[in-house]
Amino acid sequence: MSEIKKRSPMVSVIMSSYNHERYVSEAIESVLAQSYTEFEFLIADDGSSDGTQGKIKSFSDERICYFEYDVNTSFKTLDMLRERARGKYIAQIGSDDVWRKDKLEKQVVFLEQNPQYAVCFSWIETIDENSHVVKGEDSKNSDFNLQNKKAAQWFAQLFWGKESLPTPSFMMRTELFQKYGGFHFKYRQIHDYELWLRILLNHEIYIMPEQLLFYRWHVSDEHHNISAPSTRGEICTYNEMHHMFGMMIETIPDDYFIMAFGDKLFFPDCHTHEQIMCERMILLLNHPNRAAQQVGIDFYLTYIDDMEFCRCLEEEYGITRKIFHELEASRGLMAEVSEQREQLIQCQEMLKKVLQGDEQ
């Protein structure tokens, strides 16, 4: 493969691959076949043990720059590729996904004509391991093919866990992507979720209502998606969410917090610092995610010794220490564990009665 042209391209396309011998050629072909051609294609193989590396090396195109790692680095390749990106825009393709031929063209035109947007996503079409379109409950189309809204509305929906952005389809202004440090891969499960929340605090985003990406959802083979349900994934997600919510809740500006969560606030017209602190805590305690609830408990324990916060919480919101401790007993991770334990005990008692009945 030849060196990348010295002239800076309009778009940097990055792709990290790992054990995707079966799919990587189709992904690469879909990029090289784009109607928009002013791009560099940065590919890194992250220590594959199958034939992925050979598949990548079989391509000869001057826009490709290939890097190879002997051992798996768990996402470090993507950070390396981000740092090397020279284009005005950056787009990422999964090594098992497929782009529609006009994806880059449509997104470049949109971002060029709409400088107020930091990121342009698109709708997706779900495909399976055999590149067949997935229909029904296994399709992810309804999760990602969403209608546009303002940044504060997006932030509230994402923060509350009601919607997810179609990360595999994104194109972003490289200057901003670098400014925000890209994805924070200390979060294995939620690195994209965390980045989009940070972006939405300061910038607008747009979802193009066209299916420009074929998103591969692995239903049955060993190459399952990171977001696919698993016990390990659920544990990692809880731990990462707990840290992320704790960091994020303190960084949301007061006026943005009121604008984003006005319909969920105890007092929508709150304005003092102490009132907004109380609202942040209550929002977390009422969050459907157990990790967020745990952060709400942490928040209370951190600030309750502040006399003004304590006064506001008790006098204006009616939450005394006794009431908080009652709330605390039904919130957070251990509350869920306790509920599951009680359910298990009830099931055991029911089974015991059934078995005793059979013996009689």
Side-chain angles (χ1 to χ4, degrees):
M1 298 179 190
S2 61
E3 294 292 323
I4 303 176
K5 294 178 180 179
K6 292 183 179 180
R7 178 170 58 87
S8 293
M10 180 64 84
V11 182
S12 293
V13 179
I14 63 174
M15 183 181 80
S16 177
S17 60
Y18 179 67
N19 285 352
H20 272 166
E21 176 185 10
R22 181 179 175 185
Y23 312 109
V24 71
S25 293
E26 190 176 6
I28 294 174
E29 288 166 358
S30 75
V31 174
L32 299 180
Q34 288 293 298
S35 58
Y36 187 87
T37 59
E38 293 299 312
F39 64 85
E40 63 177 354
F41 193 5
L42 309 179
I43 305 174
D45 183 74
D46 201 7
S48 292
S49 57
D50 61 0
T52 299
Q53 295 175 357
K55 294 285 187 180
I56 298 172
K57 291 176 182 178
S58 70
F59 287 88
S60 178
D61 190 293
E62 63 180 5
R63 293 168 296 183
I64 294 177
C65 187
Y66 175 56
F67 306 88
E68 192 171 285
Y69 286 74
D70 294 330
V71 295
N72 184 261
T73 66
S74 186
F75 297 121
K76 285 185 179 180
T77 51
L78 282 173
D79 265 341
M80 180 274 291
L81 295 176
R82 171 183 63 82
E83 292 170 358
R84 289 177 177 269
R86 300 180 299 121
K88 182 178 180 179
Y89 303 110
I90 187 167
Q92 179 179 319
I93 181 170
S95 55
D96 56 346
D97 291 337
V98 180
W99 282 355
R100 210 174 81 179
K101 188 173 182 178
D102 54 353
K103 179 184 184 294
L104 287 185
E105 180 179 359
K106 285 181 175 292
Q107 290 183 307
V108 167
V109 169
F110 177 83
L111 289 171
E112 285 287 285
Q113 295 178 349
N114 297 275
Q116 70 272 31
Y117 291 100
V119 193
C120 177
F121 301 90
S122 79
W123 285 0
I124 62 105
E125 181 73 274
T126 310
I127 58 175
D128 63 16
E129 299 92 334
N130 299 309
S131 298
H132 297 148
V133 172
V134 177
K135 301 294 185 182
E137 62 181 19
D138 287 327
S139 173
K140 297 300 169 182
N141 293 15
S142 60
D143 295 340
F144 294 133
N145 296 353
L146 308 171
Q147 300 301 314
N148 284 290
K149 49 184 71 73
K150 300 296 289 183
Q153 295 173 302
W154 274 124
F155 186 93
Q157 291 295 91
L158 264 64
F159 192 90
W160 208 252
K162 288 187 175 181
E163 293 180 332
S164 300
L165 291 171
T167 296
S169 71
F170 88 89
M171 178 183 285
M172 186 173 179
R173 301 183 190 278
T174 304
E175 182 181 3
L176 287 176
F177 197 63
Q178 307 290 28
K179 175 184 175 181
Y180 284 90
F183 299 113
H184 287 173
F185 287 114
K186 61 185 178 183
Y187 300 121
R188 180 182 188 274
Q189 300 292 130
I190 64 167
H191 51 266
D192 53 341
Y193 176 69
E194 188 268 346
L195 173 62
W196 304 139
L197 286 174
R198 284 189 284 129
I199 293 294
L200 286 165
L201 284 174
N202 297 289
H203 303 281
E204 297 290 341
I205 64 170
Y206 182 78
I207 297 182
M208 191 167 287
E210 296 183 56
Q211 294 172 309
L212 303 181
L213 170 81
F214 293 98
Y215 173 61
R216 198 178 305 275
W217 184 253
H218 299 275
V219 178
S220 60
D221 75 0
E222 72 277 13
H223 302 293
H224 64 275
N225 303 72
I226 288 177
S227 57
S230 70
T231 300
R232 176 186 176 184
E234 289 176 2
I235 294 171
C236 289
T237 298
Y238 174 86
N239 291 331
E240 293 171 13
M241 284 283 199
H242 179 258
H243 181 268
M244 186 277 296
F245 279 126
M247 298 289 289
M248 188 68 65
I249 197 65
E250 300 277 8
T251 62
I252 307 172
D254 287 354
D255 56 345
Y256 191 98
F257 178 83
I258 294 171
M259 180 168 54
F261 299 109
D263 62 334
K264 291 181 170 30
L265 301 184
F266 198 85
F267 293 129
D269 59 345
C270 63
H271 60 279
T272 69
H273 175 68
E274 288 73 23
Q275 286 176 330
I276 296 173
M277 290 277 283
C278 292
E279 294 287 355
R280 291 177 196 262
M281 186 203 76
I282 294 170
L283 182 82
L284 290 166
L285 289 174
N286 288 332
H287 199 288
N289 187 287
R290 294 288 187 177
Q293 294 172 15
Q294 190 65 50
V295 173
I297 294 171
D298 297 343
F299 195 96
Y300 174 90
L301 297 174
T302 299
Y303 291 106
I304 194 58
D305 291 331
D306 182 298
M307 293 181 62
E308 285 303 309
F309 173 76
C310 182
R311 180 204 60 76
C312 182
L313 191 63
E314 293 189 358
E315 294 181 8
E316 298 185 42
Y317 288 83
I319 301 178
T320 62
R321 292 176 187 265
K322 180 180 179 181
I323 291 174
F324 169 77
H325 290 306
E326 290 175 355
L327 290 171
E328 180 186 19
S330 63
R331 302 293 195 277
L333 176 63
M334 289 310 299
E336 182 176 16
V337 172
S338 177
E339 290 173 4
Q340 292 175 347
R341 184 186 297 119
E342 290 180 5
Q343 291 173 0
L344 179 60
I345 291 173
Q346 290 175 1
C347 288
Q348 290 174 335
E349 290 296 324
M350 291 176 62
L351 179 60
K352 183 178 179 180
K353 290 179 180 179
V354 170
L355 293 174
Q356 288 175 343
D358 289 344
E359 290 176 357
Q360 295 175 357

